[in-house]
Amino acid sequence: MAIETKETYGKEYIETFSQQKSEPNWMRKFRLEAFDRSESLAMPKPDKTNITKWNFTNFKHQSEAEESAIESLDQLPSDIKVFVDTEKEDQNFVLLRNQVAVYETLDPTLVEQGVIFTDIFTALEKYPELVQRYYMKEAVAIDEHKMTALHAALVNGGVFVYVPKNVVIDKPLQAIFWQEDQELALFNHVILVAEENSSVTYVENYLSQNNEQETVANIVAEVIAHDNASISFGSVDHFARGTTVYMNRRGVAYRDATIEWALGQMNDGNTVSENVTHLIGDHSVSYAKAVSVGRGDQTQNFTAKIVNHGKHSNGIILQHGVMKDSSSAIFNGIGKIEHGGTKANAEQESRVLMLSKNARGDANPILLIDEDDVTAGHAASVGRVDPVQLYYLMSRGISQKEAERLIIHGFLAPVVNEIPITAVQEQLTQVIEGKVN
Amino acid sequence: MSGSVLEIKDLHVEIEGNEILKGVNLTIKGGEFHAIMGPNGTGKSTLASAIMGHPKYEVTQGSILMDGEDVLEMEVDERAKAGLFLAMQYPSEISGVTTSDFLRSSINAHREEGDEIPLMKFIKEMDAAMDYLEMDKNMAQRYLNEGFSGGEKKRNEILQLMLLQPAIGILDEIDSGLDIDALKVVSKGINKLRSESFGCLIITHYQRLLNYITPDYVHVMMQGRVVKSGGPELVERLESEGYDWIKQELGIEDVTVGK
Ligand SMILES: Nc1ncnc2c1ncn2[C@@H]1O[C@H](COP(=O)(O)OP(=O)(O)OP(=O)(O)O)[C@@H](O)[C@H]1O
Ligand SMILES: [Mg+2]
């Protein structure tokens, strides 16, 4: 399997690619080293999901399409426009079309304050040291398994977000990654760094339409909140059926820092998605909220994990999944309190709503506690639409279909309502609508 | 418009294999207010639930007709659209669905597709009804019945009744859990609907409610049947003497059913 990748996208290819992108030397070396590692590393083994037959090798690394820049938000293609609050001026917005940055805009006052929000290649060119400081250092390591190593070797897009000390950004930053080319793989790398006392809201969307055409998305997001920083991270992932997705979103929170996740995991293809946050600092906090809808015959494996290292650190996980058709999904919720994390709190709740007899959904709650003076709790359930709730709604004249729709949206609301950009929130609702009907 | 007619004939109902209703006969016409009283566990809620089509209740014999149409053949939503409404003794809580969204969906369900109520008109109507029932406007944005107090849930049921204006309303213990002021407000809401085109079946344990909403007919249920019917004077006798005299009259020892 891996042989194919090796032949098509081997060291020679990587070397040329890196040169074309005028990457700094360290980055080229980093890629090559990662490639070497990838050859001996094993694939990840997500709990209870067998991914050995999934397509991770059949893809194209670059698109032939020549992307020209987009001049204004009005010129956005309609598929993309719906995700953007276009009537609001001075958007902070980056659009990658087939991994090429075609539109970038950032409020000039933020630029003045030293905020960076740009695609990863531009960042490597303009701020190589800054990128190097964070690139697969604190959050994700190259050698976790074959997927992270291949990711590091083949990164072909991404964004870099940097918020300097004491800068508080009110308006959200938004990135859209649009895989328009049906065969193109997304080896996307997102870095978001919030320095001391800063605050930022970032929302990203992944989109594709390749129902039949197979390809791969291998995505890493590294989110670093320094002392007393606050990060709110929202997403709508909506890769089409043909894309096999490996998604790794990792947070690191230092003293008094907060990282909030609101993830709409709406891919239609086979997906492994892990969201792990390390609460390193004392009094650091993370809320990890995620929703997903499984349909067709897709198989998915979700992990929401928070590791409490710091004293008084607080980790709260909430996952809600809706399963229909003959889809299957595992929802791993992992709360881990390390030795020394006194007075830490680890809470988690995983709920799965089954809409079909042939669907499979497992909630897998795990608490691993290596410290005495802590609090922890978990709740997990897998159930069907409550017939008495249906009855109540229908007794007011609402049809069964509409009643189910209300219950499903209600079930997903705790996360959908947390998505920080109205247009994205509405879009997520639309995506859910499309998936459950 | 003259009102609808709901006819219940020889109704037998089972829950999980236990027969709870053992032949109930009752006819409610537009303009009429009926009260059903009776000790705990005698089948009052079962009757209400069977009329509305609760999934747990199985009708094994008899019929329910609404203006001559077979209600038992209808899905729950069709029953509502035929003009039936049940204010439930224990309304469901539905997380994530705001009361306001639910109300709007309910109203629209009674209208043709393409003729949905305009948002502003809906808000006006909802606000007016909430004012009338002295409800806190914030309730509209809260999730349906979630964390509502007992009394708030009851008011919310009457709010729905007022907005949907059914032909036949069945109110199952709408007074339980209400303080005196709330009882007055809720009664005011129900009385507002009084007209030739509205018939009502009020299930209650207390004269209190019936002081505010005077029934035309009063029925007493025991052992899964209507064992006595009369006028408003029956309420007073029950309030002062309890149910023993009826039990003695009929030779009933255990009033409950399904044991
Ligand atoms: N799921 C069930 N299985 C068995 N018996 C049931 C079930 N649900 C209700 N019953 C029984 O049916 C009988 C009638 O119940 P119902 O709720 O109709 O009484 P009610 O007259 O409304 O009483 P109350 O005044 O207390 O509200 C009761 O004895 C009750 O225990
Ligand atoms: Mg009852």
Side-chain angles (χ1 to χ4, degrees), chain A residues 386-400 402-403 405-414 417, chain B residues 52-55 76-77 80-81 85-86 88 91-97 102 105-106 109-110 143-145 157 160:
Chain A
D386 177 0
V388 177
Q389 286 189 340
L390 262 188
Y391 160 70
Y392 183 68
L393 295 176
M394 288 175 72
S395 78
R396 290 352 181 194
I398 297 170
S399 68
Q400 176 162 354
E402 175 67 9
R405 201 188 70 86
L406 284 171
I407 291 170
I408 293 163
H409 281 282
F411 177 74
L412 300 175
N417 294 346
Chain B
M52 208 63 231
H54 190 294
V76 177
D77 56 325
K81 284 194 233 174
F85 180 95
L86 169 59
M88 301 195 188
S92 292
E93 302 188 357
I94 300 178
S95 190
V97 178
F102 161 69
S105 295
S106 302
H110 290 263
Y143 293 152
L144 184 54
N145 291 324
E157 293 293 287
Q160 295 165 44

Side-chain angles (χ1 to χ4, degrees), chain A residues 392 396, chain B residues 85 102-103 156-164:
Chain A
Y392 183 68
R396 290 352 181 194
Chain B
F85 180 95
F102 161 69
L103 290 172
N156 194 25
E157 293 293 287
I158 297 306
L159 175 66
Q160 295 165 44
L161 176 76
M162 289 182 70
L163 290 173
L164 294 176

Side-chain angles (χ1 to χ4, degrees), chain B residues 45 89 172-173:
Chain B
S45 292
Q89 185 173 3
D172 193 356
E173 294 201 22

Side-chain angles (χ1 to χ4, degrees), chain B residues 26 33-48 86-89 154 158 169-178 183 186-187 190 200-222 228 231-232 234-236 238-239 242-243 246:
Chain B
L26 197 63
F33 273 43
H34 293 246
I36 294 191
M37 305 187 77
N40 293 127
T42 51
K44 303 181 298 296
S45 292
T46 304
L47 174 62
L86 169 59
M88 301 195 188
Q89 185 173 3
K154 300 288 169 170
I158 297 306
I170 302 162
L171 314 178
D172 193 356
E173 294 201 22
I174 200 65
D175 51 340
S176 69
L178 291 185
L183 186 68
V186 160
S187 308
I190 298 164
C200 195
L201 179 63
I202 301 161
I203 298 169
T204 182
H205 286 291
Y206 306 106
Q207 187 189 4
R208 257 188 358 169
L209 177 69
L210 301 175
N211 288 342
Y212 295 108
I213 310 170
T214 318
D216 306 296
Y217 305 93
V218 177
H219 313 276
V220 177
M221 276 188 80
M222 286 181 188
K228 191 151 202 81
L234 192 52
V235 180
E236 269 158 54
L238 290 172
E239 188 76 12
Y243 291 107
I246 302 184

